[in-house]
Amino acid sequence: VADEDRARLSVLGIPVIARPAAQTIGFRIENDGDSRHMEIDQLGEPFTPEDVSGWLARALADADWVRAGPLTREDFPAETLAALARAHVISFDGQGLVRRPEVGELVLDADYDPEVLEHVRILKLAHDELEALGLELEESYLASLGVREVVVTLGPTGAVVYADGVAEHVPTIPLEGIDPTGAGDSWTTSYLEYRRRRHSPVSAARR
């Protein structure tokens, strides 16, 4: 979290807890109509099991669910997620499976550590991330990930929710002329809030 952002979040009543790092990730997004160009300017430090037992333990003391939002697959190693999962329900962003930790133009591939998913309760993927994994929007493909709940966002056509072995498409009303940056994060935040209120996966996606 940048220093200038802390004050803005505090005004909204959102607590911000952070620690200094020798280097944080630098990430650039350029939207051009329906196309998007992304580059990594520099890599940051990963979260570690020591973070989980130290400053993060204090920060997350009152949290039962945790959203892990990596920007590359190095940000949350399997051992860090294992430590988090001992006391929390983990929702994981699929960016952390497919994004190579390399400076330069963003590259997606399927060369991730499968142990990462052993500690994840809810996996959120964008459609291009699903394709990078070599998977399709079918129950057998989604089941192969080994995660009990998978949500694939499809931009203006909604999302597919996979839970209890069944995949269901949840449509939406497309919006025109908006900046899509952060749309997936906003959607997922709302989805998780409704899940915590004990809505079913499909009900949470619809809301």
Side-chain angles (χ1 to χ4, degrees):
V1 176
D3 287 339
E4 60 269 23
D5 291 330
R6 295 193 194 191
R8 297 172 186 162
L9 292 169
S10 296
V11 169
L12 297 174
I14 300 173
V16 178
I17 301 173
R19 71 158 176 83
Q23 184 166 296
T24 58
I25 194 165
F27 200 78
R28 187 149 34 99
I29 301 175
E30 296 178 3
N31 294 310
D32 182 13
D34 292 334
S35 66
R36 171 179 287 193
H37 179 76
M38 293 183 278
E39 290 190 8
I40 297 175
D41 294 328
Q42 70 174 16
L43 297 173
E45 298 177 9
F47 288 91
T48 67
E50 291 71 30
D51 290 326
V52 174
S53 61
W55 72 281
L56 279 177
R58 297 186 293 274
L60 300 175
D62 297 327
D64 49 0
W65 290 37
V66 169
R67 167 75 172 158
L71 287 174
T72 77
R73 67 167 60 106
E74 276 193 350
D75 294 347
F76 283 93
E79 57 269 24
T80 301
L81 289 173
L84 277 169
R86 294 189 189 108
H88 305 90
V89 173
I90 303 300
S91 167
F92 189 75
D93 196 307
Q95 297 174 170
L97 299 181
V98 300
R99 289 183 174 181
R100 285 188 192 173
E102 299 174 354
V103 172
E105 185 172 355
L106 188 67
V107 177
L108 308 184
D109 64 33
D111 189 25
Y112 71 94
D113 178 4
E115 187 181 343
V116 165
L117 293 180
E118 294 178 9
H119 314 292
V120 173
R121 179 80 63 84
I122 302 172
L123 174 65
K124 180 266 179 186
L125 292 163
H127 193 246
D128 62 335
E129 294 160 359
L130 185 77
E131 292 179 335
L133 293 172
L135 304 178
E136 298 179 14
L137 281 171
E138 297 179 9
E139 290 163 355
S140 59
Y141 284 96
L142 298 174
S144 71
L145 291 165
V147 180
R148 84 173 60 169
E149 190 172 330
V150 181
V151 180
V152 183
T153 54
L154 307 174
T157 61
V160 168
V161 179
Y162 171 82
D164 299 322
V166 177
E168 183 170 337
H169 177 233
V170 178
T172 189
I173 300 172
L175 300 175
E176 301 293 337
I178 62 166
D179 183 347
T181 304
D185 293 325
S186 299
W187 190 94
T188 305
T189 299
S190 299
Y191 175 82
L192 293 175
E193 178 59 23
Y194 283 114
R195 290 290 287 119
R196 286 190 70 254
R197 296 184 192 178
R198 301 189 181 281
H199 282 266
S200 71
V202 170
S203 173
R206 285 175 178 157
R207 288 175 176 269

